[in-house]
Amino acid sequence: VRLQLRRGHQRLAVVVMVAMGAVAGEARAAEVAAAQRATLFLEPSSEKGNKGVTVFHPQTDVSGTFASGVGIAAGYAVDIVSGATPRVFAVRNDSYGRPMDAISGATQFSDTRQQVHGGFSYTRPTSDVAGSYSYGWENDYRSHAVTVTTRSDLVDHVFTIGLSYTHNFDRVCDANNEATGGDPLNRAALVTSEHCFQSAPEVTTRKLNIDALEPSVTWAATPRLLLQVGGTAQILDGFQSNPYRRVELGSGGRRPQETLPALRQRYATFLRAAYAVPSLRASVQAGARLYRDTWAVEAATADVLVQQYLTRFLLWSARAHVHSQRGASFYRNADEYRLLGPNGKYWTGDRELSPMRNYLVGGKLAYLRIPESGTKSFFSEIEAALKFEALFYQLDSTFAPNADRKLATIWQLAVSARF
Amino acid sequence: VDSAWCSSVDGRGRTPAAPIPSPVAGRPTGEGAGGSHFPSGPGALGTLRARASLWGLLIVAFVAGGMSGCRHFGVRAHQRELLADRIMSLEGNVQERAADEHVLSNREGAVGGTGTAGGGCGCN
């Protein structure tokens, strides 16, 4: 037995040495990429004394690609959120007692959401497959996500078929409402995340599972034109409410916790195109998306991106994005909830479930440093970019959620390099 | 067997002379590969609702094209210089796209259709 073990160890040692040699050989042929990006999201409130919401979102990603086509990647991202959000969606009256708008008197908060992810890829001349895992956590939320992506080129690389599948195993902290006997009108909202995920009696953990499938087909239609069509099918099953939010229903002043259906199926289809304009050293990309889900939210989205080389080292781009959507079937604004009560057994104060339009415009300036062909350099590419965008919200009523926040500005600074 | 349409693209049956970039590949890698393939000489600076049947027809057209044995349906290798440029990538910079989607997915009621998937309650 000892001899067998020794032989086993010897085989193992040989395998390890061969593997190490292969990795060492691979390492010499490796290309390493690193990217750092910081995004600052500012959404001020028009209300006096309300700071709105600020999100600082730094990201770091590193990846390595070996000559055999094997690649590895890892990254870390943080959301540092601070500001104030309304915990009760209700009508505010003016000094004469007349309905004025939705309450924006907000609760101060700050939270940090962190995410780590890692993955691998294997690339062949006409296909590739990749897998990744990410873990995100904050005081009141835990998220495990697994993604598998595959892509194949067909007909001399003229068509590319892509397929991506993601499953999320998420957990949400909620107030323990066992004592309410299941009556949603008596549900209390979560007050603090202090005891979340600690088996405290006043809180409980709710599940949310998400499955998403994303097929796409890309066609190199002409030497200047790329076309892509695809879609997304996503199923969410579990707790999807904001556990902190309450909604005022009727004139009696009842303010139960927001209640949303446990199941949501979301479908989107899109068509995108990229067209090269070599005379201007530019390209124009345009895309349209149609969306519908089982909560009766219907949306249409259009995007345009123009990019142009100013010099060999300078690249600028401009982007516009328009989004229009109908509200969920159970959505009502704060005044309607007060006058009419809920529309069925669900109620929400979520702006993203209300009828709305968003307009985004912005631009980016990037500096590129790429060695001339044939010259030796320790890097293969360095890029630094600064981006600014403004996002305008158009809601249908002053009684809509977050009606006091009419725009957001987004700043982004990025540095990346390939070696 | 090339159809007449295919032959009109390039009927000479050229052999690809260079590595062929995927139409949806991210940034090209390797020395100098990220540079502009656009000309740089003097003067160079210079219904919201579609029918579902249209999407079906497009997909059928794609699949039919792939199944027809039409080997040169579309663009040849030597015609891909512009398509391989970074500014023609439909996926763009992966990190930048993730950041952009992160912002919009928490501010709009629709998701998907962009090649990214994720979760999170976006409670704040």
Side-chain angles (χ1 to χ4, degrees):
Chain A
V1 173
R2 186 175 294 172
L3 185 63
Q4 286 175 344
L5 282 175
R6 282 178 182 164
R7 282 179 180 170
H9 286 157
Q10 286 172 352
R11 284 182 194 145
L12 182 62
V14 169
V15 169
V16 169
M17 286 174 67
V18 169
M20 287 177 66
V23 169
E26 295 282 8
R28 282 195 294 274
E31 183 187 71
V32 176
Q36 175 69 49
R37 183 176 302 271
T39 304
L40 180 63
F41 178 87
L42 303 168
E43 190 178 79
S45 169
S46 59
E47 291 287 321
K48 283 184 180 176
N50 187 338
K51 291 191 293 186
V53 170
T54 300
V55 183
F56 181 57
H57 178 65
Q59 301 163 268
T60 300
D61 289 278
V62 292
S63 62
T65 308
F66 303 103
S68 61
V70 174
I72 54 173
Y76 175 68
V78 191
D79 269 341
I80 303 168
V81 189
S82 64
T85 54
R87 292 291 167 90
V88 181
F89 181 47
V91 168
R92 179 173 59 174
N93 297 317
D94 64 13
S95 56
Y96 300 101
R98 294 174 301 199
M100 189 169 68
D101 56 20
I103 277 185
S104 60
T107 305
Q108 296 289 329
F109 73 94
S110 64
D111 203 354
T112 301
R113 179 177 195 247
Q114 302 179 76
Q115 187 203 54
V116 292
H117 61 88
F120 73 94
S121 60
Y122 181 59
T123 304
R124 302 300 300 158
T126 59
S127 62
D128 58 64
V129 61
S132 65
Y133 165 78
S134 73
Y135 175 57
W137 70 97
E138 56 190 312
N139 288 340
D140 48 25
Y141 208 91
R142 300 279 189 271
S143 174
H144 300 267
V146 179
T147 299
V148 179
T149 303
T150 181
R151 199 161 57 184
S152 294
D153 290 344
L154 302 176
V155 196
D156 282 350
H157 302 263
V158 170
F159 294 97
T160 299
I161 294 178
L163 188 63
S164 173
Y165 170 75
T166 299
H167 184 85
N168 282 55
F169 308 86
D170 293 2
R171 299 290 181 270
V172 190
C173 179
D174 187 22
N176 189 343
N177 277 295
E178 278 186 1
T180 63
D183 184 353
L185 284 170
N186 291 326
R187 289 186 62 85
L190 185 67
V191 177
T192 173
S193 61
E194 212 167 276
H195 302 294
C196 288
F197 307 113
Q198 295 174 7
S199 304
E202 65 268 32
V203 297
T204 186
T205 300
R206 313 285 294 272
K207 290 183 181 179
L208 173 61
N209 290 308
I210 306 172
D211 292 279
L213 188 67
E214 302 196 299
S216 67
V217 180
T218 306
W219 177 23
T222 77
R224 292 187 183 188
L225 178 65
L226 283 177
L227 290 172
Q228 187 179 57
V229 62
T232 300
Q234 189 185 62
I235 299 173
L236 298 94
D237 186 7
F239 185 75
Q240 298 174 57
S241 306
N242 181 334
Y244 302 100
R245 185 181 291 138
R246 294 188 291 158
V247 179
E248 187 169 286
L249 302 174
S251 54
R254 297 189 78 163
R255 293 176 165 184
Q257 184 188 44
E258 177 181 73
T259 299
L260 298 177
L263 191 64
R264 188 180 191 186
Q265 296 174 29
R266 317 176 83 178
Y267 303 100
T269 182
F270 69 88
L271 177 64
R272 290 193 286 182
Y275 186 74
V277 188
S279 61
L280 299 174
R281 304 181 73 201
S283 74
V284 179
Q285 294 190 21
R289 176 184 70 183
L290 296 176
Y291 168 90
R292 181 176 190 145
D293 67 31
T294 52
W295 294 1
V297 175
E298 294 181 342
T301 308
D303 286 275
V304 176
L305 175 67
V306 178
Q307 299 178 85
Q308 185 183 30
Y309 289 100
L310 295 175
T311 70
R312 175 174 159 76
F313 299 121
L314 274 183
L315 174 67
W316 79 276
S317 64
R319 178 185 176 213
H321 167 93
V322 179
H323 172 84
S324 177
Q325 70 177 56
R326 293 181 184 173
S329 57
F330 47 85
Y331 168 80
R332 282 178 168 165
N333 67 41
D335 197 37
E336 291 167 339
Y337 276 131
R338 181 179 65 90
L339 293 172
L340 306 171
N343 184 14
K345 59 181 181 179
Y346 304 112
W347 45 87
T348 181
D350 189 350
R351 177 175 56 185
E352 286 71 58
L353 295 175
S354 72
M356 65 183 297
R357 284 184 182 173
N358 283 352
Y359 304 92
L360 181 145
V361 291
K364 185 177 85 170
L365 188 64
Y367 173 78
L368 310 169
R369 191 73 190 179
I370 302 163
E372 295 277 0
S373 295
T375 60
K376 286 193 174 181
S377 176
F378 72 96
F379 64 89
S380 57
E381 178 183 305
I382 289 177
E383 176 181 350
L386 177 65
K387 186 160 94 169
F388 171 77
E389 291 177 328
L391 177 61
F392 301 90
Y393 307 115
Q394 187 179 71
L395 303 174
D396 73 335
S397 165
T398 56
F399 298 103
N402 303 122
D404 58 313
R405 300 188 221 154
K406 302 183 187 326
L407 72 93
T409 53
I410 304 149
W411 296 85
Q412 209 171 83
L413 182 64
V415 179
S416 63
R418 290 178 183 275
F419 305 98
Chain B
V1 178
D2 287 350
S3 68
W5 192 90
C6 296
S7 300
S8 70
V9 174
D10 187 337
R12 289 172 288 182
R14 293 184 185 177
T15 304
I20 304 171
S22 165
V24 294
R27 287 180 189 174
T29 59
E31 190 170 295
S36 169
H37 296 282
F38 285 64
S40 57
L45 291 182
T47 17
L48 297 178
R49 191 188 275 265
R51 293 178 182 170
S53 56
L54 178 60
W55 301 106
L57 282 174
L58 279 170
I59 292 170
V60 168
F62 287 157
V63 174
M67 300 287 287
S68 68
C70 172
R71 284 183 54 79
H72 305 306
F73 191 95
V75 182
R76 295 298 199 89
H78 63 278
Q79 298 174 316
R80 292 171 180 269
E81 194 178 29
L82 296 175
L83 300 182
D85 196 281
R86 62 193 301 142
I87 65 173
M88 285 294 287
S89 169
L90 286 166
E91 291 189 348
N93 182 305
V94 174
Q95 193 187 56
E96 180 179 356
R97 190 186 61 182
D100 292 344
E101 287 303 313
H102 185 57
V103 169
L104 291 178
S105 65
N106 283 319
R107 292 294 178 272
E108 295 175 351
V111 297
T114 57
T116 59
C121 70
C123 295
N124 297 319

